[in-house]
Amino acid sequence: MRVALLGSTGSIGRQALEEIRRFPERFEVVALAAGHNVEALAAQAAEFRVRELGVAEEADARRLQALLPWARVRWGPEGLAELAALPEVDLVLNAVVGAVGIFPTLSALRAGKRLALANKESLVVAGELVMAARKYPDQILPVDSEHAALGQLLAGVRREEVARAWITASGGPFRDRPEEALAHVTPEEALNHPTWRMGPRITVDSATLVNKAFEVIEAHHLFGLPWERIGVLLHPESKVHALVELVDGSILAQLAFPDMRLPIRAALTYPERLPPAIPLPLAPLTLTFREVPRERYPAFWAVLWAGREGGTLPAAANAADEVLVQAFLARRIPFPAIAQGIAHVLERHANARATSLEEVLAADRWARAEAQRFVERIAPRV
Ligand code: MG
């Protein structure tokens, strides 16, 4: 299997390379791309002897080319799209962070490549465009614990037998904090996720539950599940990742230790399942579930609404969230302002049908600017 690994220096990318090192006879890495972390990318390219490389900007490309004169270095969204469609590539693992990840997603699908998809924005922002670009049903393999679980559960039943599906959420580090204390939580506390090891934006998105609203949107597109049949349950133990209730009332659940290497390996080795096991001891194991409380996670409900409304609203929600999370991490706005800013931007967005990538990206740009104005207005002057 010849792999293009896009987003190779991030959390998913590095764990994917750990898995690839485990099975050297099965995989050949033929392309790598990263954002600005040129030194780490150069080290990976040297280790895996990869010639085809991509970075975010032209200046990064020049630095990388100076380090690796023998490499072919591309940059920007076009560079990512080219790497995803290289003739020698069998599987593209898209772990790019941000809306730029939509470019290699569409390019890989149109070129008929199998796509292991960890880039959230592809389905959140451009779900209909992405699903329409598929050439065969199982072309997209989700690299996310909840969707990997749903895929396994739904593969074993007929669609008319499914009454309802759920994905679970840990509830993040502030699950049991008194609500009035949320105005004073720090980026360090938000980044200290109770059960998962992930990148900074998604970790903050787990604290607001915005990540879970995005995952509902992804599940809707990926599995063609109607909105009213996808639920979210708070499950602090993060051992059950998804459940499917059948028409006779029996419920199937997928359990696994919360470790991203599992969905990464499942996508890389699809349709096989390979050891070594990442064990989940069953005894003692307590599983608790509860509904998502409405007041504690206002951003979750706002983004879910945007997803159901569709059009360019999900793109606006994603872009606003990215700007607001950055501002929170930079200590410019308090934690509750992430949700307030998302609501502010969504209220002002003139929704339109998302019939092309240009329209989606225009909504993304508008929402980014609007969220930035919101930040400037409430951030204290320094
Ligand atoms: Mg997830």
Side-chain angles (χ1 to χ4, degrees), residues 149 153 239-245 251-256 287 289:
L153 293 169
K239 301 298 191 300
V240 175
H241 304 292
L243 307 98
V244 170
E245 182 182 344
I251 297 175
L252 311 178
Q254 189 266 0
L255 288 81
L287 304 174
F289 301 95

Side-chain angles (χ1 to χ4, degrees), residues 42-107:
Q44 292 174 343
E47 177 188 347
F48 291 90
R49 299 171 196 280
V50 183
R51 272 189 73 231
E52 307 287 351
L53 303 175
V55 285
E57 285 169 23
E58 194 175 3
D60 306 311
R62 277 199 297 270
R63 279 167 54 216
L64 183 61
Q65 193 72 73
L67 291 173
L68 305 176
W70 43 268
R72 178 129 56 121
V73 181
R74 295 168 172 83
W75 58 275
E78 296 78 17
L80 287 171
E82 280 177 35
L83 291 173
L86 286 174
E88 63 267 36
V89 168
D90 302 310
L91 178 137
V92 176
L93 198 169
N94 182 357
V96 169
V97 176
V100 68
I102 301 169
F103 289 88
T105 284
L106 289 173
S107 162

